[in-house]
Amino acid sequence: MKIAVEGCCHGELDKIYETIQFLEKKQNTKVDLLLCCGDFQAVRNEGDMNCMAVPPKYRQMQTFYKYYSGEKQAPVLTIFIGGNHEASNYLQELPYGGWVAPNIYYLGYAGVVKYRGLRIGGISGIFKPHDYRKGHFESPPYTKETIRSAYHVRNIEVYKLKQLKEPMDIFLSHDWPRSIYNYGNKKKLLRKKEFFKQEVENNTLGSPAASELLSHLQPSYWFSAHLHVKFAAFMQHPNKEPDKLPKATKFLALDKCLPHRDFLQVIEVEHDPSKPERLEYDLEWLSVLKATKDLLNVTFKTWNMPENNGLHSRWDFSATEQEKQDVLNDLGNDLTIPQNFSATVPVYTPNNPQNKRVASHTINPQTTEFCARFGLIDINAKVRQHDDESGEFDVTEDNLDSSSSVEDPSEYSTDTSALSSSINPDEITLEEEDEEDFSVQSVEPSPEYTPDFSLNFSNTRVLPDSMAVSSDDAIDSTNDEMEQSESSQTEGEGKNPEKPLKRLSDESGGGSVVIKRRNQAIYTAEDDE
């Protein structure tokens, strides 16, 4: 099965789909599935656009609204996660996932689905330590703070994913798992993005929460975006079961959708041809959702997850065979995810712009139906109720053990770790919250680590000049096939490397950072072409 993997979308659906269709025609092949690793920007109208955490001058409608309105149809089934530049008010309507447009599926804050036998999971947002243990309390209209915290990863989502025991084929995250750079061509990465050097040396680049999930889930493939650079790695996991071969993960991060950038990769993955060509629920994930529903927190108070420390009546929420069978019975032995998309707000009209439109706090019927079917709580509706009552979240007696003050240590080492303090000049600049940097101890492989692996990817790709992806320089044999698969043979960054970007503040200085940026075309009103 051919799967196209996209880095940061930034709302450029037309160009992404056009590139895929060009590849299909050029190579006489068929792409079965598109996976997008965040910054999707599902913007339906002006109200959604004002909910994106980007400076106003970068807020552009882009092309998603055409797919939301039905003007266009996604030509390939698309699955995506959220990043840190999203219309958070829309994604908040679908905390457990759902269709944002026909044939375009959002995995939710965290989620797992199946397609043709492939198990695909993901987690939305980026890691920030000061919000990690809070609940999903944000709601539109957002403040300057909540428009950012709305897309920060929460410990409840990581905790639920860590209950999974069954093998994972593919996993998506927006930011990279911390330390993954030690398993690839680190020297080449730092040649491309030299401003990552301090964080790489200090092992503070990337998400420690994602690193925990990588260690626990050990998927066959892990795809990320966020740092706007293509990077491949191969991680051999420690052997937990002596009678079985150790697992390994092929990691690939991709760039954002711009001409002559490595934003798209097509890979071939084994699948079950007997399975239908439609999205299906994952029984184990649904069972975990049902088991953990009482851990819900919709306040800004910090919240530790249950652990085996004598304070909690239950700390293991992994699914039993009986629980999975009960879910299957509830579904009538039909795992098909229903095609129940419905529009919830007026769509953008180019000939009649509504620049003063304000985002509303909307309850999505898809989530209402999903929660009723599986006995869950609509987080978005609970947030609205909490806001209306202007009171504190009423937790159950069993969960009182889990609450804690901000000074209490978390059950995860990630709670005392900061996201990379480096600034990516390719990234949109915001006035970042003041953060204290913490260091964490991590076991790293030898710097001389050079794993040997091969991938069954195709070797060539030719794209139209307007959307061509640049070819890479020659790299170590460790990641040759991963980085070169589907790369174009056009001129690009490999032959004409750009001068390093200059930072206008010191690396460790506090406060906001002013950056000379390039490649801002994706946020301008003019078309790249």
Side-chain angles (χ1 to χ4, degrees):
M1 181 170 69
K2 297 278 189 180
I3 298 179
V5 184
E6 161 66 35
C8 296
C9 299
H10 292 298
E12 295 283 11
L13 284 184
D14 278 358
K15 293 180 179 179
I16 293 168
Y17 290 137
E18 287 168 7
T19 304
I20 291 175
Q21 290 173 331
F22 178 85
L23 287 174
E24 291 178 328
K25 183 178 180 181
K26 189 75 175 179
Q27 300 182 359
N28 191 27
T29 187
K30 175 65 177 175
V31 172
D32 302 283
L33 180 66
L34 171 63
L35 303 178
C36 300
C37 300
D39 285 357
F40 189 80
Q41 295 183 5
V43 178
R44 304 164 293 181
N45 57 31
E46 297 86 347
D48 287 356
M49 191 164 59
N50 292 328
C51 290
M52 287 201 304
V54 298
K57 64 180 179 179
Y58 296 130
R59 289 175 181 164
Q60 302 294 334
M61 190 59 61
Q62 303 299 6
T63 58
F64 170 78
Y65 74 92
K66 300 177 184 179
Y67 300 86
Y68 182 79
S69 67
E71 176 185 344
K72 290 188 174 184
Q73 174 81 18
V76 58
L77 175 62
T78 302
I79 300 175
F80 76 98
I81 56 169
N84 59 314
H85 299 308
E86 304 288 1
S88 296
N89 62 312
Y90 186 20
L91 300 189
Q92 189 173 341
E93 295 180 19
L94 301 165
Y96 303 107
W99 302 101
V100 297
N103 220 30
I104 303 177
Y105 191 85
Y106 169 54
L107 280 178
Y109 291 137
V112 183
V113 295
K114 286 186 176 179
Y115 180 70
R116 306 210 69 183
L118 278 179
R119 196 176 194 213
I120 303 169
I123 187 165
S124 294
I126 62 172
F127 176 82
K128 290 288 184 177
H130 51 273
D131 288 324
Y132 184 63
R133 291 188 294 139
K134 295 177 182 177
H136 292 287
F137 64 92
E138 301 85 357
S139 63
Y142 299 113
T143 66
K144 180 181 177 181
E145 290 74 26
T146 59
I147 198 173
R148 301 175 191 175
S149 64
Y151 57 71
H152 292 165
V153 170
R154 303 298 156 86
N155 61 349
I156 177 62
E157 313 304 340
V158 175
Y159 186 78
K160 287 187 288 190
L161 287 166
K162 290 180 72 173
Q163 306 305 307
L164 300 177
K165 307 297 184 185
E166 297 173 7
M168 185 74 65
D169 296 305
I170 297 173
F171 197 82
L172 311 177
S173 68
H174 188 57
D175 45 3
W176 299 13
R178 180 169 292 179
S179 300
I180 192 65
Y181 34 80
N182 293 309
Y183 296 88
N185 194 333
K186 186 162 55 175
K187 291 182 179 179
K188 183 181 179 184
L189 172 65
L190 295 180
R191 285 200 303 268
K192 288 184 175 181
K193 301 285 185 177
E194 63 180 41
F195 39 85
F196 292 159
K197 182 177 181 181
Q198 180 178 346
E199 282 68 41
V200 168
E201 290 178 349
N202 296 338
N203 195 34
T204 56
L205 180 67
S207 167
S211 184
E212 285 192 25
L213 289 176
L214 174 59
S215 176
H216 176 80
L217 297 173
Q218 301 183 2
S220 299
Y221 297 89
W222 186 298
F223 301 121
S224 297
H226 190 47
L227 297 184
H228 296 164
V229 63
K230 182 179 181 181
F231 178 75
F234 181 83
M235 181 177 182
Q236 190 86 42
H237 298 282
N239 194 355
K240 296 182 178 179
E241 303 176 68
D243 57 332
K244 296 183 180 179
L245 293 174
K247 294 183 178 180
T249 297
K250 299 167 186 175
F251 172 83
L252 180 66
L254 292 168
D255 208 331
K256 58 183 174 181
C257 181
L258 277 179
H260 303 283
R261 303 289 284 267
D262 297 311
F263 66 89
L264 187 72
Q265 188 103 8
V266 177
I267 68 172
E268 189 166 352
V269 180
E270 292 183 3
H271 68 288
D272 186 346
S274 67
K275 296 294 184 181
E277 296 183 18
R278 59 174 180 263
L279 275 187
E280 294 184 314
Y281 290 121
D282 183 85
L283 281 180
E284 186 185 22
W285 177 246
L286 291 179
S287 300
V288 169
L289 288 181
K290 292 186 67 173
T292 56
K293 65 179 182 179
D294 290 333
L295 299 180
L296 178 66
N297 175 15
V298 295
T299 77
F300 58 86
K301 290 186 176 181
T302 55
W303 193 254
N304 281 340
M305 293 297 102
E307 58 180 321
N308 186 11
N309 58 5
L311 299 176
H312 307 276
S313 59
R314 182 179 181 183
W315 57 88
D316 184 357
F317 293 87
S318 56
T320 65
E321 290 302 318
Q322 183 59 52
E323 288 171 335
K324 288 186 285 187
Q325 185 61 47
D326 290 343
V327 171
L328 186 60
N329 294 338
D330 292 341
L331 291 170
N333 294 316
D334 183 7
L335 295 173
T336 304
I337 295 177
Q339 299 279 348
N340 57 351
F341 164 76
S342 60
T344 55
V345 299
V347 72
Y348 169 71
T349 305
N351 297 329
N352 185 28
Q354 303 290 323
N355 296 325
K356 295 184 179 180
R357 194 190 301 268
V358 177
S360 59
H361 193 172
T362 306
I363 305 301
N364 196 298
Q366 284 186 74
T367 304
T368 301
E369 178 182 337
F370 182 86
C371 292
R373 192 173 192 182
F374 299 108
L376 303 176
I377 298 172
D378 184 345
I379 300 173
N380 190 36
K382 190 70 176 178
V383 170
R384 175 192 279 187
Q385 177 185 349
H386 180 268
D387 291 345
D388 291 343
E389 294 174 353
S390 297
E392 296 297 331
F393 178 57
D394 184 20
V395 299
T396 63
E397 181 178 355
D398 185 54
N399 285 337
L400 287 174
D401 299 330
S402 302
S403 61
S404 67
S405 68
V406 71
E407 292 82 8
D408 289 341
S410 166
E411 74 275 23
Y412 296 124
S413 63
T414 57
D415 291 326
T416 56
S417 307
L419 187 65
S420 165
S421 60
S422 67
I423 304 296
N424 187 346
D426 257 353
E427 182 63 279
I428 296 174
T429 307
L430 293 175
E431 294 179 2
E432 286 297 322
E433 304 93 337
D434 292 333
E435 297 180 12
E436 182 179 359
D437 288 331
F438 298 93
S439 61
V440 293
Q441 298 298 321
S442 175
V443 177
E444 298 183 15
S446 167
E448 308 301 322
Y449 177 75
T450 54
D452 181 24
F453 71 103
S454 60
L455 300 174
N456 57 340
F457 300 162
S458 57
N459 294 321
T460 60
R461 175 174 71 189
V462 180
L463 299 184
D465 289 341
S466 63
M467 294 303 294
V469 180
S470 65
S471 60
D472 286 327
D473 293 334
I475 61 173
D476 293 346
S477 60
T478 335
N479 298 312
D480 233 4
E481 292 186 51
M482 176 74 93
E483 294 224 17
Q484 290 178 358
S485 82
E486 302 295 344
S487 63
S488 75
Q489 304 304 313
T490 62
E491 292 184 0
E493 295 174 30
K495 294 185 179 181
N496 298 298
E498 299 177 10
K499 294 181 179 179
L501 288 143
K502 296 181 179 179
R503 298 194 47 162
L504 302 185
S505 67
D506 62 25
E507 190 72 24
S508 59
S512 61
V513 178
V514 181
I515 298 169
K516 290 184 178 179
R517 298 194 64 235
R518 70 175 190 275
N519 295 322
Q520 295 178 353
I522 200 160
Y523 299 105
T524 62
E526 297 180 359
D527 193 289
D528 287 326
E529 298 177 352

